[in-house]
């Protein structure tokens, strides 16, 4: 990895190898793992259920968006040694991996590299919202069925 000059895309601090980088896209957050020398590893969707693991310059992945270093799970999971994180990450470069928004997304990918555990609060929030909507729809359906039966009994 060749060294590159620093860039200023609203970057708060200098990432260290193994850091999780949260990138704020207009409708979601994208996640990458910092490798060093300005490079990150991340997954980019390539088909219905697949993604390609790519090593790219952080500035290219961020583009015109903003980002910050966010090792938010360090209090819950112990980070693996940096050398192991980087070794595991480099092994996966250019490989195709499965991808699923709710169970195997970009945040799952980078947290699996850093902690050995794939975690995504973004996916957990989405699953919670889906569960709430499903429960609410079920409750409204049940209320409709009960009302319908109540009317049938009156006649």
């Amino acid at each position: 990895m060749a060294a590159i000059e620093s860039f200023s895309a609203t970057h708060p601090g200098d990432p260290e190898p193994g850091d999780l980088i949260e990138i704020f896209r207009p409708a979601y957050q994208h996640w990458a793992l910092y490798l060093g020398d300005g490079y990150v590893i991340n997954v980019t969707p390539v088909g219905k259920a697949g993604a390609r693991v790519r090593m790219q310059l952080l500035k290219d992945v961020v583009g015109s968006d903003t980002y910050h270093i966010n090792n938010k799970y360090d209090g819950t999971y112990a980070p693996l040694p940096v050398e192991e994180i980087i070794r595991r990450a480099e092994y996966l470069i250019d490989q195709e991996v499965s991808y699923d928004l709710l169970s195997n997304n970009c945040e799952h990918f980078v947290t699996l590299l850093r902690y050995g555990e794939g975690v995504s609060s973004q996916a957990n929030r989405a699953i919670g919202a889906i569960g709430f909507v499903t429960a609410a729809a079920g409750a409204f359906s049940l209320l409709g069925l009960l009302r319908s039966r109540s009317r049938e009994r009156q006649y």
Side-chain angles (χ1 to χ4, degrees):
M1 290 182 262
I4 62 155
E5 71 282 352
S6 221
F7 79 104
S8 61
T10 315
H11 71 90
D14 295 316
E16 297 289 326
D19 279 343
L20 299 180
I21 307 295
E22 183 177 17
I23 303 162
F24 298 95
R25 302 287 194 229
Y28 65 97
Q29 287 80 41
H30 181 64
W31 290 83
L33 183 124
Y34 191 73
L35 296 174
D37 294 329
Y39 286 90
V40 295
I41 188 171
N42 70 122
V43 292
T44 57
V46 292
K48 276 193 167 192
R52 172 105 24 222
V53 178
R54 299 185 63 198
M55 183 176 93
Q56 299 173 275
L57 288 170
L58 175 59
K59 68 179 184 176
D60 292 342
V61 175
V62 171
S64 62
D65 297 322
T66 61
Y67 78 93
H68 74 150
I69 300 162
N70 190 354
N71 299 319
K72 66 182 180 177
Y73 300 110
D74 282 8
T76 307
Y77 303 100
L80 297 170
V82 173
E83 302 78 25
E84 183 175 346
I85 295 170
I86 302 305
R87 182 184 53 75
R88 292 165 49 141
E90 288 177 340
Y91 175 79
L92 293 170
I93 293 170
D94 291 327
Q95 291 192 33
E96 193 166 316
V97 295
S98 64
Y99 183 89
D100 178 83
L101 191 59
L102 297 178
S103 63
N104 198 25
N105 64 32
C106 58
E107 187 177 6
H108 289 106
F109 175 75
V110 297
T111 56
L112 183 61
L113 289 172
R114 181 171 174 84
Y115 305 109
E117 183 82 29
V119 190
S120 174
S121 60
Q122 188 172 214
N124 291 342
R125 281 192 308 274
I127 290 168
I130 290 167
F132 177 77
V133 168
T134 302
F140 285 121
S141 294
L142 181 59
L143 284 173
L145 178 63
L146 292 175
R147 273 190 169 164
S148 161
R149 286 193 174 176
S150 173
R151 283 190 209 134
E152 286 175 7
R153 289 184 187 158
Q154 291 177 354
Y155 298 109

